[in-house]
Amino acid sequence: MSFLKEFFKNKSEVGAVAPSSKRLGNKMYGGFDFDKAKCIVEFGPGTGVFTNEVLKRMREDATLIIFETNPQFYDRLKAEINDDRAFIYNDSAEKVTEVIAEQGFKNADYIISSLPLAVFPKELKESILNASIKALGKGGIYVQFQYSLNALKLLKTKFSKVKLAFTAINIPPAFVYKCEV
């Protein structure tokens, strides 16, 4: 219910009416090499459905950097996630390179994004994607889900390789973009 409430309160910030399904999560981070990943970033975790699964799979010495701008979701994440590997920021994903450096990393291995790009202004989308590419560096992977194909053209202009997947088992069904720097 909190998800639906936040969606109707601020549609330009919350892009979903319900938390993401486990099936969608598996398409988002199922192919990650968690044995090698030291720094993973998550944009827009909402209630933390992906967050908790990523934390279960991460190495003990890995770090998860989380960006959530919605105050209610941020407060909920801070209250519910008690893991020393998780660092939660109530800030824009545009600051990803600064935060990664602050945490002692040169680059992130993966970025998982649940941001509703379809409702973001063009300048904000560009800024977040440019910062993501810089944060990932060579070999990094950016994974984004959306409820439409409208981000495909933009992502193809930013990343060297974009693979598309789909899951019908989600409310609503979703497209997953796996993008390589």
Side-chain angles (χ1 to χ4, degrees):
M1 272 318 273
S2 67
F3 226 99
L4 190 60
K5 181 180 169 186
E6 290 303 313
F7 172 77
F8 284 113
K9 190 163 48 168
N10 193 350
K11 291 180 187 176
S12 66
E13 186 178 294
V14 179
V17 295
S20 300
S21 69
K22 286 188 180 194
R23 179 74 56 101
L24 177 57
N26 286 333
K27 290 203 184 266
M28 293 287 286
Y29 49 76
F32 288 5
D33 186 347
F34 285 99
D35 290 334
K36 292 183 181 174
K38 292 187 178 185
C39 180
I40 300 171
V41 176
E42 183 176 14
F43 296 157
T47 58
V49 174
F50 296 163
T51 312
N52 290 315
E53 285 300 315
V54 168
L55 284 167
K56 285 179 193 174
R57 297 168 188 224
M58 281 176 28
R59 298 166 28 155
E60 287 301 315
D61 63 341
T63 297
L64 178 61
I65 299 170
I66 304 161
F67 290 85
E68 178 56 68
T69 59
N70 179 283
Q72 285 72 33
F73 291 151
Y74 171 78
D75 289 343
R76 181 175 173 170
L77 292 166
K78 289 291 278 184
E80 293 179 1
I81 296 176
N82 297 309
D83 191 312
D84 292 339
R85 300 171 300 164
F87 297 87
I88 307 166
Y89 291 83
N90 186 215
D91 213 337
S92 173
E94 295 170 285
K95 297 191 178 172
V96 64
T97 54
E98 297 166 32
V99 172
I100 286 173
E102 181 181 298
Q103 291 295 330
F105 295 97
K106 183 178 179 184
N107 297 110
D109 298 293
Y110 302 106
I111 294 178
I112 304 165
S113 176
S114 301
L115 298 176
L117 296 179
V119 299
F120 283 4
K122 182 181 178 188
E123 299 79 24
L124 180 58
K125 283 189 265 199
E126 292 275 343
S127 181
I128 290 170
L129 292 174
N130 290 338
S132 296
I133 290 164
K134 187 176 178 185
L136 286 165
K138 186 177 167 101
I141 296 176
Y142 175 93
V143 183
Q144 171 77 54
F145 86 85
Q146 297 288 275
Y147 301 119
S148 71
L149 291 170
N150 71 349
L152 183 59
K153 185 177 177 182
L154 175 62
L155 293 170
K156 282 186 171 184
T157 67
K158 298 287 181 184
F159 293 92
S160 65
K161 189 174 187 180
V162 177
K163 291 182 185 175
L164 185 63
F166 178 76
T167 182
I169 302 174
N170 194 66
I171 300 173
F175 294 93
V176 176
Y177 303 89
K178 182 179 178 185
C179 309
E180 296 178 24
V181 176

